[in-house]
Amino acid sequence: MNSTPRNNFLRRLTLTSAFALAALSSAAAYAGEVKIGATPIEIDEAGKITAKGKSAVVDTLDEVPGEDRWIAYVHAKLDNPAPGPLYVEFFQELDGNKSSVWRHDENDFSGDKWFYGELELDGRKGFNKNRTYDIKVTQVNAKGKELTLASGKIKLIKSGKKPEAPKEDEGDAEDKAAAEQDAHDSLGGGDGNDGGSDGSAAAEGDAGKEGPPPVEKKKGCSVDADGQAWNGAMVLLALGAGFILRRRR
C-alpha cells in the first residue's frame, strides 16, 4: 500500500527535474552568446540587438579593403556578469591545440548584462585570413577562478576588394579649380577685360627687347661723289676746247 504513494512521489520528482533541466538548458543556450557584426550593430536602450541590427551580424568577416586588419563589432549577452575587469579573448586551433591569439581588456566594466564594442583584429597581432577563431568573454572571481560568461566564433577572410578612391572636399575642389583657371589665364594672356593693357604691355616689352635699327646706306653719298667727279671732268674738257680754238685763230 505504501508503494503507490512512493511511486507517485518519485514520478512527480522526475517530471519536476525534467522540466527544470529543460528550462536550464534553454536558458543556457540563449545566454552567453557572442555575435560579430561587419558593420555597427543597432541595439536598444537595454542593450539587446534590434531587428535592424540583426542584419549586420555575420559568421564570416571580410578585411578592411587593401589592409591586413579586420574591424569586428562585438556584441555579447553575458551570463551572470559582475562589476570589474572583463576580457574578450580570441583563440585559434593549430595541430589540434588551442592557443590564445589576442585579448581585449575592458577594465572599467560596470557589470551590465550586455557588452558591445568595436575591436580591431590586426594581422600584426596574429590574425590571419581563412581561419576560424573561438571567442570567449571571461571574468575572474574573487577566488581567482576564470568564469566564461559568453562564447562564439568568427571566420576571417580576404575577398580582395579594392579600397574606395578618396573623396575631395568641396574646399579642395574649389581651390583646384581656381588654380587651373589661373594657369589657363596666364597661358592665354588674361581675360578679355585686360586684353588692351596686356597687349600694349606686351608690345612695349617686345619693343624693349628689339635692338637698335639697322643703319641704312645712303645712296645719295655715292651719287654726289660721282657728280663731283663728272663736273670736274667737264670743266677740264671745256678749258681744253677753249685753248685749241684760240691757237687756231
Side-chain angles (χ1 to χ4, degrees):
M1 292 181 64
N2 294 331
S3 59
T4 300
R6 184 177 179 181
N7 290 337
N8 290 336
F9 173 75
L10 292 174
R11 189 177 302 168
R12 286 195 299 270
L13 182 61
T14 303
L15 291 175
T16 302
S17 300
F19 281 120
L21 288 174
L24 289 174
S25 298
S26 61
Y30 181 71
E33 293 178 332
V34 175
K35 300 291 185 183
I36 302 295
T39 56
I41 302 174
E42 184 179 88
I43 56 177
D44 59 19
E45 295 180 356
K48 296 181 180 180
I49 301 176
T50 64
K52 182 180 179 181
K54 291 180 181 179
S55 62
V57 176
V58 296
D59 296 325
T60 301
L61 186 63
D62 198 2
E63 64 172 337
V64 177
E67 301 183 27
D68 189 26
R69 63 189 183 98
W70 294 259
I71 300 298
Y73 296 90
V74 181
H75 182 275
K77 182 179 181 181
L78 306 177
D79 185 15
N80 296 324
L86 183 78
Y87 309 106
V88 182
E89 195 163 4
F90 292 80
F91 297 85
Q92 65 179 348
E93 185 173 344
L94 294 174
D95 300 329
N97 298 319
K98 279 191 177 182
S99 60
S100 175
V101 178
W102 178 71
R103 188 182 77 178
H104 167 73
D105 297 350
E106 194 76 13
N107 294 318
D108 298 327
F109 183 65
S110 60
D112 297 333
K113 194 171 178 120
W114 309 89
F115 168 79
Y116 177 69
E118 176 184 341
L119 302 182
E120 181 180 281
L121 312 182
D122 199 314
R124 293 172 295 182
K125 298 174 182 175
F127 291 97
N128 290 291
K129 64 179 180 178
N130 300 327
R131 288 188 183 178
T132 299
Y133 295 89
D134 293 325
I135 308 169
K136 285 200 326 180
V137 182
T138 61
Q139 280 187 315
V140 177
N141 63 11
K143 297 180 180 180
K145 182 181 179 181
E146 184 181 88
L147 304 175
T148 300
L149 309 185
S151 61
K153 291 178 180 288
I154 189 63
K155 182 178 181 179
L156 304 182
I157 64 169
K158 286 188 176 184
S159 65
K161 290 182 180 179
K162 300 294 183 182
E164 296 182 1
K167 296 180 180 179
E168 291 185 352
D169 295 337
E170 293 182 1
D172 294 339
E174 291 177 358
D175 293 342
K176 184 177 180 181
E180 291 177 352
Q181 184 62 38
D182 292 342
H184 176 74
D185 292 343
S186 62
L187 292 175
D191 54 17
N193 295 332
D194 297 333
S197 60
D198 291 344
S200 61
E204 292 176 2
D206 294 340
K209 293 178 182 178
E210 292 181 357
V215 178
E216 297 182 358
K217 187 175 181 181
K218 296 183 179 181
K219 296 181 179 179
C221 295
S222 60
V223 171
D224 293 343
D226 293 341
Q228 292 175 1
W230 175 255
N231 291 334
M234 290 296 293
V235 170
L236 292 175
L237 288 174
L239 292 174
F243 179 75
I244 292 172
L245 289 176
R246 287 178 181 175
R247 296 252 344 225
R248 285 182 179 180
R249 290 178 181 175

